[in-house]
Amino acid sequence: MTVAAKPEFMVSTEVRGYLGSLLDTIRKPLTTAPWARGERRLASAVFDILTSREFSYLSRSQSEPYRFSAEAILSEQIARAERLRFFLDLGAGYHATLRPGVEPLSFDVGLGELLVLRQIAAFRQRVAEVYSEGVSFVLVIDNMAALLVNDIPLEATTSYCRQFRSLIRSVGLEGVVSLLVESEHFAMEDFERQRAVLDYAAPRAVALTDRVYENVVRFLGRPCSPEEALERALRYQPIIEVSESLLEELIDGVHLTQRATASTLAFRPFPGGATRIQCGEVALCHNEHGKLRPFLLTSHNVDAFDLEVVSTHSVLPAPISWVRYGRRRP
C-alpha cells in the first residue's frame, strides 16, 4: 500500500500534535491504588507490566528466564515499602553520526530522549495502579568508556547530560528520573585498577568485518583505516567489561538495557522500538497505514529518506527545538 505524500503544513501540524500527546502522557497525573497483595505477587504483577508489549520487544517466553532475579529484587523493595528502582543503560552521552566524515557526532538531546521519558512515565502510571509507592528510574551514561574507546571528550558528553537533566526538569520528572554519569563517579585510575583486578591476560580475537568497521566509524564520527578500526574494536570489549563492573557497584535495582543481554531485561526506548537510540537519531515518519510513528534513523537507512526539520519551539520545552520528519523515497 502506498500512502500519498502529505503537504508540509499538514505534516508539521501532525508532528506538533504527536509531540503534544507525548507531553500529555509524561505529565498525566498518577492514578494510584492501595496495594494489598503479598510482596511476591506484587513483584510478579510489576514484572508482567515490565515485559508487556508496550515496554518490551521480548515475547513472554523470552522474558521468563529473567523473572526470578527481577522479582527477587522487586520483592525486597516492596517489603520495605520503597519505590521500585530501575536502572536503564542509555549510551555514552552522544549519538552516532548519520554520515561518518560528513555530519558530526551529536551531543544534543532530542526526540529519542523525550520518547524514553514518555515510556518511563507510561510505565510509572501502570505500576502505580498496582503499587502506590511507585517507581524511580536512573539512566546510566557510560561516558568514561566512550572516552577510552573512541576518545570522545568528557566536555561534550557532560554537556549532553546537562541538557538531559534540563529536559527532565522541564517535563516535571525531576525526582522520578535521574542520571548516573560514569565520569561523575569514576576516573581513569579506577579503570586501570579494575582492569588489573579482572586480569585481561588472555588475547581476544576480533574479526574486522564490514559490520564491525561500520560500527566503529559511526561512533568514532569519521572514516578511519582498517588498522585503526581494528585497534579500537579490540579496545572495546575489555573497556566495556571494566565499565560494567564498576557501574554494577552503583546499581541497586532492576538493570535494564534497550536490547536484552544475558543478564539484563529489555526496555523499549520508544513505542514499537527494539533498538538503541544512541545508534543514530530518532525521527518521525508515516507508516504504510498513514500513521505517524517514531523510527531510528542511522547511517544504514538515512539515504532511504528525504528529511525535513520541523520546528518545535511552540510545543516542546528546551533544550529540544526541532525534530526530523522523513519521507521514504520511492
Side-chain angles (χ1 to χ4, degrees):
M1 175 181 177
T2 301
V3 178
K6 301 190 178 188
E8 187 174 335
F9 77 90
M10 288 182 61
V11 166
S12 181
T13 300
E14 276 193 67
V15 167
R16 288 188 172 87
Y18 175 86
L19 298 174
S21 71
L22 295 184
L23 289 181
D24 288 343
T25 298
I26 293 171
R27 293 169 171 165
K28 181 180 178 181
L30 286 182
T31 302
T32 60
W35 46 284
R37 289 180 275 187
E39 290 91 351
R40 201 73 197 190
R41 289 183 62 195
L42 268 173
S44 180
V46 172
F47 181 85
D48 288 343
I49 294 169
L50 181 62
T51 55
S52 65
R53 294 298 292 172
E54 184 174 3
F55 305 110
S56 179
Y57 66 86
L58 298 177
S59 67
R60 287 295 188 187
S61 61
Q62 289 171 324
S63 299
E64 202 61 27
Y66 302 91
R67 182 183 289 274
F68 180 81
S69 59
E71 287 188 8
I73 294 169
L74 296 171
S75 294
E76 288 181 6
Q77 295 173 358
I78 291 168
R80 295 191 294 266
E82 298 174 348
R83 279 189 182 183
L84 304 180
R85 294 185 296 281
F86 298 88
F87 290 73
L88 174 61
D89 290 4
L90 213 62
Y94 73 103
H95 294 268
T97 177
L98 300 180
R99 294 184 173 90
V102 177
E103 294 186 15
L105 300 170
S106 172
F107 298 94
D108 295 326
V109 300
L111 179 59
E113 286 76 13
L114 184 69
L115 283 163
V116 167
L117 296 181
R118 181 267 172 210
Q119 289 291 90
I120 290 171
F123 177 72
R124 179 190 182 212
Q125 177 62 64
R126 291 278 304 279
V127 172
E129 293 166 5
V130 299
Y131 181 63
S132 57
E133 297 300 324
V135 305
S136 67
F137 264 72
V138 179
L139 306 178
V140 181
I141 307 295
D142 60 345
N143 62 336
M144 282 296 295
L147 170 66
L148 295 171
V149 175
N150 286 323
D151 307 318
I152 305 300
L154 291 182
E155 294 83 0
T157 54
T158 54
S159 171
Y160 168 94
C161 294
R162 283 195 298 273
Q163 291 180 53
F164 209 158
R165 284 168 170 152
S166 174
L167 179 63
I168 290 166
R169 287 192 299 272
S170 297
V171 299
L173 287 179
E174 192 174 23
V176 176
V177 182
S178 60
L179 265 58
L180 193 171
V181 182
E182 193 171 44
S183 64
E184 295 175 356
H185 296 270
F186 304 107
M188 203 82 73
E189 308 83 73
D190 299 302
F191 271 73
E192 290 303 320
R193 183 169 55 252
Q194 193 71 357
R195 181 192 291 267
V197 168
L198 295 179
D199 184 16
Y200 288 110
R204 297 178 175 222
V206 174
L208 190 65
T209 62
D210 289 344
R211 182 176 179 180
V212 169
Y213 178 81
E214 289 169 5
N215 200 50
V216 168
V217 300
R218 66 178 176 164
F219 280 98
L220 186 59
R222 58 173 173 79
C224 64
S225 68
E227 292 77 17
E228 181 183 354
L230 180 59
E231 192 274 330
R232 292 187 186 277
L234 285 166
R235 280 190 214 177
Y236 177 80
Q237 193 59 40
I239 288 172
I240 289 299
E241 288 183 20
V242 170
S243 172
E244 289 175 349
S245 176
L246 290 170
L247 288 167
E248 200 61 37
E249 300 171 9
L250 305 178
I251 293 176
D252 63 343
V254 177
H255 194 178
L256 305 171
T257 44
Q258 297 168 82
R259 293 286 300 175
T261 71
S263 59
T264 58
L265 258 173
F267 187 81
R268 288 189 191 274
F270 54 84
T275 188
R276 301 176 180 90
I277 65 168
Q278 64 267 31
C279 292
E281 177 188 316
V282 180
L284 293 170
C285 71
H286 283 93
N287 66 13
E288 63 273 19
H289 304 294
K291 183 177 180 180
L292 198 63
R293 67 170 183 88
F295 74 106
L296 187 66
L297 195 63
T298 72
S299 57
H300 295 294
N301 66 1
V302 65
D303 291 330
F305 293 89
D306 290 316
L307 300 171
E308 60 189 73
V309 171
V310 178
S311 171
T312 61
H313 281 295
S314 61
V315 183
L316 297 182
I320 304 174
S321 60
W322 56 271
V323 300
R324 251 197 269 242
Y325 172 82
R327 298 178 190 271
R328 186 172 287 278
R329 291 174 178 169

